[in-house]
Amino acid sequence: APGLRESAPGNPQTWTLSDHVRLKRHREATGEAEPPVQALVPAKTQYVFLEVGHGFNARAIKGKMIFQLYDNLAPRSCGLFRDLAVGITGRGGWLAGRSFDALKPGKWLQITGLAVEGPAPEADACELKHTAPGCLSVRDSAGGRSELLITIGITPELDENHTVFGQLVGGAEVLKQLSQVAVYEDDRPLAPITVLGAGNWDPHGSGGRGAAKQEREAAKKAARADVAENVSEEAKRTAQANKDARESVAEALAAGIQTKKRKHKQSVQLEQELDVVEDELDDEVDLLEPI
């Protein structure tokens, strides 16, 4: 609907009443079918994590990215992703050990050639847009070679042919670091970005303290780092100012000492000249006395 993306990005669960009214009027004007009411009602929230590493030893950048899946809005895409990420045993599927083959600067991370057994699932009629970093998106391209994307920016160009089926809720700092990885001209990362593991994530279970809490802790850590950096910069400026002041005082003292030495030398020279004049006068007096 016109204006819907700007006024209500992301999950329809966060839309206001006016957003739903605007969408309803748009559908009435265009004859677009109304989806079932339960499609906009949140189902049981599912989370999946991807543990990724960057570098030839996967140690340059390493961390977990946690995604909330919209099973009620894009069930086919969520099911495909869960099979590829979690697998039958729940300990990792086809994605484990795979590398992202493209990093479009400011746009998205991408893995192509997803191993889909049997016919590719039908596309989900999901209306979510690529309005923020961290959107989990999939596309069924020609020949059944699906593309999995994680956005690192706002990418409306993906809205037409890609389905948003999840959103990053934990590990934003990891995604930010990955977005700054150097790439070749064809957008391949210079060093591999690898999926080290994947699995279901329980934000309230013993395996983690919760995605929201992790986000808060990451924000606090970033804030502390910013404060420490500011304090460090202020300390550097203060130390430099003190150093400059000491150097100025030292230069002034050195100049004063040199001036005193110069005056002392002039005084000694003057005394020596006076002694010579006195000796000459004494000699002249001695010569005049017999007369």
Side-chain angles (χ1 to χ4, degrees):
L4 180 60
R5 185 185 309 165
E6 291 77 14
S7 62
N11 193 340
Q13 298 167 20
T14 65
W15 293 355
T16 64
L17 179 59
S18 60
D19 296 320
H20 288 287
V21 170
R22 188 183 298 110
L23 179 59
K24 184 175 181 179
R25 290 177 178 173
H26 168 74
R27 284 178 171 145
E28 290 175 351
T30 59
E32 184 179 341
E34 184 79 17
V37 175
Q38 60 268 23
L40 298 180
V41 178
K44 181 180 180 181
T45 303
Q46 300 289 332
Y47 297 92
V48 170
F49 74 86
L50 295 180
E51 184 174 4
V52 296
H54 169 247
F56 293 100
N57 57 3
R59 294 180 180 177
I61 300 172
K62 189 175 182 181
K64 284 184 179 179
M65 294 188 293
I66 303 166
F67 297 91
Q68 176 186 355
L69 303 185
Y70 302 138
D71 284 272
N72 55 321
L73 301 176
R76 299 182 183 91
S77 300
C78 290
L80 169 63
F81 176 72
R82 191 178 291 104
D83 289 343
L84 296 175
V86 180
I88 298 175
T89 64
R91 297 181 180 179
W94 180 87
L95 281 176
R98 302 287 170 175
S99 295
F100 288 88
D101 46 44
L103 167 57
K104 193 74 172 177
K107 296 294 185 179
W108 59 75
L109 278 165
Q110 174 180 312
I111 294 180
T112 56
L114 304 184
V116 181
E117 296 182 0
E122 298 179 14
D124 288 297
C126 182
E127 298 177 349
L128 301 184
K129 306 299 182 182
H130 301 75
T131 55
C135 289
L136 198 57
S137 177
V138 69
R139 175 185 180 180
D140 294 326
S141 55
R145 292 176 58 82
S146 296
E147 299 173 352
L148 174 68
L149 286 79
I150 303 172
T151 62
I152 55 179
I154 300 174
T155 53
E157 62 269 31
L158 299 178
D159 290 342
E160 183 176 354
N161 297 315
H162 291 72
T163 299
V164 176
F165 65 93
Q167 176 65 43
L168 183 76
V169 295
E173 185 62 29
V174 176
L175 181 60
K176 181 180 178 181
Q177 292 177 5
L178 294 177
S179 70
Q180 300 169 356
V181 167
V183 297
Y184 292 104
E185 292 183 357
D186 60 356
D187 297 330
R188 288 182 299 116
L190 292 179
I193 302 174
T194 307
V195 179
L196 305 177
N200 291 312
W201 178 266
D202 181 2
H204 306 293
S206 59
R209 291 166 290 179
K213 187 173 182 179
Q214 285 193 340
E215 281 292 295
R216 291 195 298 271
E217 290 179 352
K220 290 180 181 179
K221 183 177 179 181
R224 287 195 295 269
D226 290 340
V227 171
E229 183 177 355
N230 292 335
V231 171
S232 177
E233 289 298 325
E234 183 64 27
K236 288 180 180 179
R237 288 193 293 269
T238 302
Q240 185 63 42
N242 292 337
K243 181 180 178 181
D244 293 342
R246 288 195 298 269
E247 290 178 351
S248 298
V249 172
E251 291 176 359
L253 290 175
I257 292 172
Q258 290 297 328
T259 301
K260 288 183 178 181
K261 285 183 177 180
R262 187 168 55 253
K263 290 181 177 180
H264 177 71
K265 184 177 181 180
Q266 292 174 350
S267 176
V268 171
Q269 291 176 347
L270 181 60
E271 289 179 358
Q272 291 176 348
E273 292 175 357
L274 289 174
D275 290 340
V276 171
V277 171
E278 288 180 356
D279 291 342
E280 291 177 351
L281 289 174
D282 289 341
D283 292 341
E284 291 180 2
V285 170
D286 292 340
L287 291 173
L288 293 173
E289 283 181 356
I291 299 175

